[in-house]
């Protein structure tokens, strides 16, 4: 006797949440979209990413990678914006702490020694 089984096909929400600072995080964790995408681009599997970031769920990492693959243009634009913001912040911190030129001064000291 053949038993007919139906498989419910449902859409799952993408496990991405934008926090108050505009940073996209994965699965309600502190792990950013940037982190997961960069690891994937460097060749890490979803399983390896979960091993590295234990707070992530495997299904959420697969869903995030799927979202990235389906929306690469938008995600890449978001990532470029995040990198630009990070660069501006690094420059501001360098000016505020007087570290502008610190690397050059340290290298100069090394050459003198």
């Amino acid at each position: 006797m053949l038993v007919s089984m139906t498989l419910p096909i449902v859409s799952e929400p993408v496990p991405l949440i934008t926090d108050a600072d505009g940073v996209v995080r994965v699965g309600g964790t502190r792990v950013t979209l940037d982190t997961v995408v960069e690891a994937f681009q460097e060749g890490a599997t979803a399983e390896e990413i979960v091993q590295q970031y234990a707070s992530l769920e495997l299904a959420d990492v697969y869903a995030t990678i799927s979202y990235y693959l389906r929306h690469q243009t938008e995600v890449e634009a978001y990532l470029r914006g995040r990198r630009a913001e990070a660069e501006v912040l690094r420059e501001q911190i360098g000016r505020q702490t007087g570290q502008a030129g610190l690397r050059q001064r340290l290298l100069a000291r090394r050459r003198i020694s």
Side-chain angles (χ1 to χ4, degrees):
M1 181 167 133
L2 188 61
V3 176
S4 176
M5 307 238 356
T6 60
L7 179 66
I9 306 295
V10 295
S11 293
E12 296 286 333
V14 179
L16 300 174
I17 299 166
T18 303
D19 70 13
D21 296 321
V23 178
V24 178
R25 300 195 182 273
V26 179
T29 69
R30 295 190 54 165
V31 180
T32 64
L33 174 63
D34 314 41
T35 301
V36 172
V37 170
E38 288 171 12
F40 177 70
Q41 289 173 333
E42 290 172 2
T45 65
E47 289 80 5
E48 290 168 335
I49 295 169
V50 169
Q51 286 178 346
Q52 195 170 15
Y53 302 96
S55 61
L56 291 173
E57 296 289 330
L58 184 59
D60 290 344
V61 174
Y62 271 112
T64 299
I65 292 169
S66 176
Y67 179 83
Y68 165 67
L69 292 173
R70 291 182 187 273
H71 301 2
Q72 262 184 295
T73 302
E74 297 92 334
V75 172
E76 291 295 341
Y78 166 78
L79 295 176
R80 279 192 302 278
R82 293 265 298 146
R83 285 190 289 269
E85 288 174 6
E87 183 59 34
V88 168
L89 185 59
R90 275 191 290 277
E91 289 174 8
Q92 289 174 347
I93 291 170
R95 284 192 302 270
Q96 290 173 355
T97 60
Q99 292 182 357
L102 177 62
R103 184 173 195 281
Q104 289 79 12
R105 290 192 305 269
L106 291 173
L107 289 173
R109 283 185 192 167
R110 182 185 292 170
R111 280 182 250 140
I112 294 171
S113 302

